[in-house]
Amino acid sequence: KTRLRPYQQSGVRWLHLLAGLDLGACLADDMGLGKTIQVLALLLVLKRQAKGERRPSLLVAPASLLANWAAEIERFAPELRAVIAHPSAMPAAEMKALGPQGLEGVDLVITSYGSLLRLPWPATSAWHLVVLDEAQAIKNPQAKQTRAVKKLQARQRIALTGTPIENRLGDLWSIFDFLNPGLLGSAKEFTSYTKRLAARAHNPYGPLRDLVRPYILRR
C-alpha cells in the first residue's frame, strides 16, 4: 500500500537474502528511516513465496510500540493477518490458551518483552522469523527477557535497533548471541578477543567490524 524508497528496497533485498541463507540480520537504520516498513515488506514477500505449510512469525517489541505496529500493518500491509498477544488487546485467558493450533492461518504474532516472560507457548512454537524491535532490550545477557528471547526457535532472527552498541561491546555480543549464536564465541571468549583488539596500535577494532559487517545494515 505504498512505494518503498530505494534504500528501503535495498534493505528488504538484504533481509530476504539472509533469510534465504537462514542467517540472522541486524537492521540498524537510524530512527525514521523505516525499519518497520522494511520488515512488513519482507513478511509480505515471504508470504507470497511460501509453498505448503506456513509457519507464523513472531515480533517482540516494547509494549509502547505494539499499537504502532498494528497501525502500520493496517495502513501498509493489510494482507498480513496479525494477532496481538498482549493484555491491552486480548483477554488473559485467551492469550495464554494460544498455541500452534490456535495460530493456524496467522502470519504474525506481536507481543511485548514482558508478555513473553508470562506466556508458555512462544518458546515451544516453531516460528519462521523472530523479530526483535528495540533489540537493545536484550543487551544484558543475564536478564530474564534476554534468556527468554534466546530460547525461541526460528528459521531466521532479525534485530531492529538504531544502537547495536549502547554502552559497551558486550551489548553487541548479546545481540549477536541471539542472531547468530556462536559467531562471536562465548561471552568470555568475546571479552578476551576484544581486549586483544584494544591493544592493537592501528584500527584496533577493524577485525571485529569486518566480522559483523555482513550481518548489520546501517544507513
Side-chain angles (χ1 to χ4, degrees), residues 36-218:
T36 299
I37 203 166
Q38 291 174 72
V39 169
L40 295 182
L42 173 67
L43 289 168
L44 285 172
V45 170
L46 294 175
K47 178 176 181 175
R48 293 167 186 172
Q49 292 179 340
K51 297 178 181 178
E53 183 181 359
R54 290 191 294 113
R55 296 182 186 179
S57 294
L58 176 68
L59 168 74
V60 187
S64 60
L65 296 181
L66 301 187
N68 179 69
W69 274 94
E72 295 284 275
I73 290 171
E74 184 178 356
R75 179 181 179 188
F76 296 119
E79 183 181 332
L80 291 176
R81 184 182 172 199
V83 170
I84 301 179
H86 188 264
S88 63
M90 183 180 295
E94 183 179 338
M95 188 170 62
K96 288 185 178 180
L98 275 177
Q101 294 181 341
L103 297 177
E104 187 174 347
V106 171
D107 298 307
L108 181 65
V109 176
I110 304 172
T111 194
S112 68
Y113 289 98
S115 293
L116 187 66
L117 292 173
R118 296 187 290 272
L119 297 174
W121 48 266
T124 59
S125 300
W127 304 102
H128 190 161
L129 304 181
V130 168
V131 182
L132 304 186
D133 195 5
E134 300 292 345
Q136 62 271 20
I138 65 163
K139 66 182 181 180
N140 179 359
Q142 304 305 322
K144 289 183 179 179
Q145 65 188 31
T146 303
R147 295 200 298 268
V149 161
K150 291 180 180 181
K151 290 179 181 177
L152 298 171
Q153 305 169 47
R155 190 170 297 167
Q156 193 215 11
R157 300 175 174 197
I158 295 174
L160 309 179
T161 175
T163 53
I165 301 175
E166 276 197 319
N167 302 308
R168 55 194 181 88
L169 286 173
D171 300 348
L172 183 70
W173 177 86
S174 191
I175 289 176
F176 266 80
D177 190 48
F178 162 73
L179 292 176
N180 295 302
L183 180 69
L184 298 183
S186 67
K188 184 177 180 180
E189 289 168 338
F190 182 74
T191 299
S192 298
Y193 174 61
T194 54
K195 285 182 178 178
R196 293 196 301 272
L197 292 182
R200 287 162 45 101
H202 303 289
N203 189 22
Y205 294 106
L208 175 60
R209 194 174 296 112
D210 292 341
L211 182 59
V212 301
R213 182 179 288 125
Y215 313 100
I216 297 181
L217 183 62
R218 183 174 181 84

